[in-house]
Amino acid sequence: MITMKLLLSPVICALIGWLTNYLAVKMLFHPYKAIKIGPFEIQGIFPKRQKELAESLGKMIERELISHTDIKNVIRDPAFVEKHKGVVLEYLEIFFKEKLVTLHPMVAMFLNEETLKTVRAMLSKELDEMLPKLIETTASELECSLDFKCLVQDKVECFSMEQLEGILFGIMKKEFRFIEVIGGVLGFIIGLIQVVIFIL
């Protein structure tokens, strides 16, 4: 009888360790709404601190992941400017060839290939001066109107707990499972230690 109890001890400890960690993971989110039991109030950690989580996440993303400086660096990149210059020139060429010529028959006569080539060269030169100024204005406007911290904070605060739980479990499913398993493993080891101590 004693031998059976000794053999079961590691298994029971493993089950207790696994169950304890399983409940700990679940209690990160559950219960969604506060439940009062006498003087105590029980609520999942994330539902209880959703606003603080949203604020901290917003600050962290703005400080560590993405900032206005990052956006400015992208739109000031010469390759970015050149690409948009090409798009503008392409649109203007289509405009001249397909739309402007419909205004009057004389326009079509003057807008021959040689004239278009000259106009294209002039526009290209003008865009070299205009686009950097336009991009600087856009960058300044974005800095004034786009607040990453508030944007992230508002979105996280608006998430339902089901959504937030789904997102975090989707990202950290393996990690949460590892926490549960390690609880069982540690429980089993503790059970074995108890058996050794009892035998000695």
Side-chain angles (χ1 to χ4, degrees):
M1 190 70 175
I2 295 172
T3 307
M4 184 58 71
K5 285 181 180 178
L6 286 174
L7 290 173
L8 284 174
S9 179
V11 177
I12 292 167
C13 288
L15 285 171
I16 292 169
W18 172 80
L19 184 61
T20 303
N21 284 16
Y22 173 80
L23 289 173
V25 169
K26 286 296 176 186
M27 285 179 72
L28 289 172
F29 295 95
H30 298 273
Y32 292 146
K33 293 181 180 178
I35 297 171
K36 281 201 170 186
I37 302 173
F40 301 104
E41 188 176 87
I42 299 172
Q43 189 178 12
I45 293 170
F46 284 121
K48 191 174 184 177
R49 303 190 63 188
Q50 186 173 4
K51 286 190 176 180
E52 292 94 325
L53 172 67
E55 187 178 355
S56 298
L57 196 59
K59 285 178 181 176
M60 185 271 290
I61 285 174
E62 187 175 58
R63 186 177 63 249
E64 304 292 342
L65 298 180
I66 187 168
S67 66
H68 292 106
T69 305
D70 296 322
I71 291 177
K72 282 181 178 180
N73 289 339
V74 169
I75 64 177
R76 284 171 176 164
D77 187 290
F80 182 89
V81 177
E82 194 62 31
K83 183 179 179 181
H84 284 77
K85 176 186 168 182
V87 171
V88 173
L89 285 172
E90 187 179 337
Y91 174 80
L92 287 172
E93 191 160 344
I94 292 169
F95 174 77
F96 287 136
K97 285 182 177 179
E98 296 180 9
K99 296 183 180 180
L100 195 62
V101 293
T102 61
L103 291 174
H104 196 277
M106 291 293 289
V107 175
M109 189 172 63
F110 283 109
L111 277 178
N112 54 42
E113 194 59 42
E114 191 62 35
T115 307
L116 280 174
K117 189 177 178 181
T118 305
V119 170
R120 195 183 300 115
M122 289 173 63
L123 284 171
S124 179
K125 191 176 178 181
E126 286 297 315
L127 285 171
D128 285 338
E129 293 181 15
M130 184 188 75
L131 278 177
K133 293 176 184 176
L134 181 63
I135 282 169
E136 282 301 318
T137 304
T138 304
S140 299
E141 285 297 318
L142 279 173
E143 192 167 5
C144 293
S145 60
L146 187 60
D147 188 331
F148 293 113
K149 184 181 80 66
C150 288
L151 188 66
V152 172
Q153 186 175 341
D154 290 344
K155 284 187 177 292
V156 174
E157 281 183 12
C158 289
F159 280 152
S160 68
M161 267 305 112
E162 290 89 344
Q163 282 179 302
L164 194 57
E165 184 178 9
I167 290 167
L168 286 177
F169 266 91
I171 296 169
M172 301 183 68
K173 188 177 180 181
K174 288 181 181 178
E175 286 77 8
F176 287 141
R177 184 60 55 84
F178 176 77
I179 290 169
E180 294 170 20
V181 170
I182 203 70
V185 171
L186 290 174
F188 187 80
I189 291 168
I190 290 166
L192 285 176
I193 292 168
Q194 286 177 342
V195 171
V196 171
I197 291 169
F198 186 82
I199 291 171
L200 295 175

